[in-house]
Amino acid sequence: MGGRDEEEPTAPSNGQRDDQGAVCEYCGTPIDTSEWYPVTNRRDPDGSVELYAFCSETCQDSWCDEQTE
Ligand SMILES: [Zn+2]
């Protein structure tokens, strides 16, 4: 009799939940994407456009200040 030793595929249990994903680019606060939130477009040197989200315009302004050189 062979023992049945099948392993069921288990979901990765790294504890990370990334189903929402949106966090403030500046302070890391999770963003409620069901409501309006400030975003900033930024073009990378290679031509791709990145979208950055923020929890408030205060963070957006602070982040933009850091990006400008
Ligand atoms: Zn923020």
Side-chain angles (χ1 to χ4, degrees):
M1 266 198 239
R4 247 188 270 175
D5 206 16
E6 295 175 23
E7 286 188 24
E8 303 216 354
T10 51
S13 56
N14 55 11
Q16 284 190 338
R17 301 188 56 186
D18 203 18
D19 51 351
Q20 284 203 318
V23 295
C24 176
E25 199 67 38
Y26 186 70
C27 72
T29 299
I31 297 170
D32 182 1
T33 53
S34 66
E35 297 183 7
W36 180 88
Y37 57 94
V39 294
T40 293
N41 288 308
R42 219 174 123 81
R43 189 175 289 277
D44 284 349
D46 65 0
S48 63
V49 177
E50 295 283 341
L51 190 66
Y52 298 95
F54 303 92
C55 67
S56 66
E57 288 175 308
T58 306
C59 280
Q60 186 182 30
D61 287 345
S62 300
W63 183 85
C64 286
D65 283 348
E66 289 188 354
Q67 300 308 307
T68 50
E69 292 180 339

